[in-house]
Amino acid sequence: MSDETPAGTTPAPGPAIPAALTDAPGYQVRRLHQAYLALWARAVDPTLTGPQFAVLTAVRAAPGRDQRSMATAVALDTSTMADVARRLETRGLLVRHTAAADGRRKLLYLTEAGERALRAARYRLDLLDERLLAPYDAERRGELIRLLTSLADHWEGLSEDPAP
């Protein structure tokens, strides 16, 4: 049996998305996230992930900070941060030095290759951001970023609260 639409007919439309989903903020956030991941891979870098980019950006801003504080800065749990840092180190984009005062602490530094990768990704990300925010003028863009930041802060706070 063929999945093709017979000539002269139009394919049946997909199922309507229930209002219970379209009205749910979490559903819309997931849609945005899925679309963003697809765009990132095509427009920014197919091998450098968003979390890796965030780590490189944070390390550039504060070289020599420890892995744990970097995890907090980029909203990653410590085990994910350790994995991301290890992958970046394997790729030669950053180095981890053991802190002299505490052998368990890993201090992070960009390599020259990391600096180049970050600069190239940043350029492509700026172009993507421009495309993503094209429907909005500068004032609305600022408002949108403030709202998204406020929402993220609120949701992170809720995730840290004990279960209701």
Side-chain angles (χ1 to χ4, degrees), residues 42-143:
R42 283 197 329 258
V44 178
D45 194 305
T47 59
L48 185 71
T49 67
Q52 290 171 344
F53 175 84
V55 168
L56 292 176
T57 300
V59 171
R60 178 201 271 162
R65 284 186 57 197
D66 68 276
Q67 209 166 271
R68 181 176 293 252
S69 63
M70 287 292 184
T72 301
V74 298
L76 293 175
D77 62 74
T78 55
S79 63
T80 301
M81 177 64 194
D83 183 55
V84 168
R86 191 172 24 261
R87 289 172 189 257
L88 290 169
E89 185 175 40
T90 299
R91 290 179 57 192
L93 302 179
L94 65 76
V95 293
R96 297 183 300 166
H97 294 294
T98 302
D102 182 351
R104 296 170 297 177
R105 288 180 61 222
K106 301 292 185 195
L107 309 179
L108 306 178
Y109 299 88
L110 278 186
T111 63
E112 286 184 32
E115 182 65 43
R116 284 191 305 274
L118 183 57
R119 211 173 20 255
R122 177 80 255 172
Y123 173 77
R124 292 185 300 269
L125 181 57
D126 288 345
L127 295 175
L128 176 58
D129 285 348
E130 185 58 37
R131 285 178 56 206
L132 293 172
L133 298 175
Y136 305 103
D137 63 25
E139 182 179 331
R140 291 203 56 210
R141 288 177 185 193
E143 178 185 355

